[in-house]
Amino acid sequence: MELCTTVTAIRELVTAWKKAGLRIAVVPTMGYLHEGHLSLMRIARQNADRVVTTIFVNPTQFGPTEDLEKYPRDLKRDQQLCEEVGVDAIFHPVPAEMYAPDFSTWVTEGSLSQTLCGAFRPIHFRGVCTVCLKLFNITLADVAVFGRKDAQQALVIERMVRDLNIPIQIIQAPLVREADGLALSSRNKYLAAEERTRALALSRGLRAAQAKFDAGERNAQALKDAVLAELTPAADSIDYVDVMARATLRPIETVDQPALLAIAAYIGKTRLIDNLFLD
Ligand code: AMP
C-alpha cells in the first residue's frame, strides 16, 4: 500500500493504473477510521480494481466555532486498518497541498444542502462539495463510495455529480452501528461514558419511529414524536428531528414517498447525527 501526501505523487500512481485500464474507486474520509469507514472500503474493493482512501480533515467544511483543531487523528492506526482491508493507496495531504493561499473557486449546491445540517452549518456543504470534486479530480476515480451515516452529504454529492456531469459513479453504503445501536462515528471518541449512554437515545428514538412506521404510521409528526420522546430527556440540545422527502430534502407531513427521518443533537459538547430511511 502506498502513502501519498502530494497531488503529484497520487496522480502518478493513478495515471499508471488508468493507462493499464484499471478501474479506480475512491473513499473520501477524515480519518480516525472505524468499521463504518472500512465497510465503504470493502464495497469499493468489490467495485473497482484499485482502491484509494483519502484521509483529510478538510478545514473548509468546519465553521469557525467547530471542532477542526481537536478532530481526532491517528494516521498510524488508519494505515494499518487500510492495509488490512486491501486499500491500494492512501492520499493524505496537508491543507496547504489542497488549498493555495489565494484559493478562490468553490462548488455550491443550492437546494438539497440548504435544510437539515445545512441550516445549522452554513458553509459545511460548500466545503464538502469543493473538496470532494477536488478529490475526484485528483484521484481520477471511476467510482466513489459514501456512507448513509451522512445521508444528506451523499445526496448532495450525487446532485453535484449529476448537475456538473462529473464522470464518476456514486455508491451509497449502509449505515454501520455498534451492537447497542450507536451509529459509528469518529466523534464518538469525544463522548464520556455517561454521555455515550445518553447518546443511545438517538438510535433508540429511530427504532421507536421505525416500529411505528412498520405498524402503518405515516404521519410525520407522529414519527418525529416517537424520536423526541427518547431524545428530549437525553440530549443537551437538539438541532433538528425532521422527516424529509429524499428527492428534495424538504419537509413532508405524510410519508407517501421515499423519506428520510434525520436527527442532529448535542450530547454534552458533541454534535451527533443519525438517520433512518423510510421506504
Ligand atoms: P468521515 O470520516 O466522518 O467524513 O466519513 C467518511 C465517510 O464514511 C462518509 O461517506 C461517511 O458517511 C462514512 N461513514 C462514517 N460513519 C459511518 C457509519 N457509521 N456507517 C457508514 N458509513 C459511515
Side-chain angles (χ1 to χ4, degrees), residues 34-36 39 148-149 174-185 188 196 199-200 202-204 206-207 210 261 263 273-277:
H34 51 65
E35 191 51 43
S39 71
R148 284 187 171 162
K149 162 78 181 353
L175 196 165
V176 178
R177 299 179 179 282
E178 304 270 16
D180 61 7
L182 184 67
L184 285 169
S185 165
N188 292 348
R196 196 192 174 288
L200 293 173
L202 279 81
S203 53
R204 209 164 50 235
L206 290 174
R207 280 202 305 278
Q210 176 81 68
L261 173 46
I263 305 177
I273 59 172
D274 201 343
N275 70 77
L276 179 65
F277 277 44

Side-chain angles (χ1 to χ4, degrees), residues 96-277:
E97 182 71 12
M98 295 292 279
Y99 297 105
D102 56 351
F103 185 91
S104 59
T105 307
W106 300 95
V107 183
T108 309
E109 191 284 330
S111 177
L112 302 177
S113 62
Q114 303 304 297
T115 56
L116 299 174
C117 283
F120 293 87
R121 307 182 71 189
I123 61 154
H124 176 68
F125 287 111
R126 182 188 77 157
V128 168
C129 285
T130 304
V131 82
C132 284
L133 180 53
K134 283 170 68 68
L135 293 170
F136 297 167
N137 286 335
I138 290 166
T139 61
L140 306 178
D142 301 282
V143 54
V145 187
F146 288 87
R148 284 187 171 162
K149 162 78 181 353
D150 301 270
Q152 183 177 23
Q153 170 174 278
L155 292 168
V156 167
I157 295 292
E158 280 186 348
R159 176 65 61 90
M160 172 183 81
V161 162
R162 186 202 72 181
D163 285 354
L164 300 183
N165 306 97
I166 304 167
I168 194 165
Q169 177 198 350
I170 303 297
I171 297 179
Q172 289 193 23
L175 196 165
V176 178
R177 299 179 179 282
E178 304 270 16
D180 61 7
L182 184 67
L184 285 169
S185 165
S186 306
R187 288 191 169 98
N188 292 348
K189 178 185 163 55
Y190 299 147
L191 299 172
E194 167 273 328
E195 291 174 334
R196 196 192 174 288
T197 305
R198 284 195 285 133
L200 293 173
L202 279 81
S203 53
R204 209 164 50 235
L206 290 174
R207 280 202 305 278
Q210 176 81 68
K212 286 208 154 176
F213 182 76
D214 291 344
E217 182 63 74
R218 293 296 179 268
N219 180 269
Q221 190 57 53
L223 297 169
K224 287 195 273 186
D225 287 344
V227 173
L228 289 166
E230 295 291 343
L231 194 58
T232 307
D236 292 283
S237 73
I238 299 174
D239 273 359
Y240 60 77
V241 174
D242 274 329
V243 176
M244 305 302 219
R246 284 217 296 281
T248 60
L249 293 188
R250 300 281 151 182
I252 49 176
E253 286 177 11
T254 306
V255 183
D256 52 6
Q257 57 189 304
L260 176 71
L261 173 46
I263 305 177
Y266 283 86
I267 304 291
K269 290 197 168 78
T270 305
R271 186 176 187 275
L272 297 176
I273 59 172
D274 201 343
N275 70 77
L276 179 65
F277 277 44

Side-chain angles (χ1 to χ4, degrees), residues 3-61:
L3 175 65
C4 301
T5 58
T6 65
V7 174
T8 309
I10 187 77
R11 260 291 172 72
E12 210 171 296
L13 198 60
V14 296
T15 303
W17 291 341
K18 281 297 216 199
K19 280 200 181 124
L22 299 173
R23 181 173 158 86
I24 300 171
V26 65
V27 181
T29 81
M30 299 205 298
Y32 209 72
L33 302 175
H34 51 65
E35 191 51 43
H37 297 115
L38 302 185
S39 71
L40 271 47
M41 295 173 205
R42 291 190 194 101
I43 291 170
R45 184 75 282 159
Q46 289 163 3
N47 284 275
D49 304 304
R50 293 289 181 272
V51 176
V52 179
T53 294
T54 69
I55 298 178
F56 180 56
V57 182
N58 174 36
T60 67
Q61 69 191 66

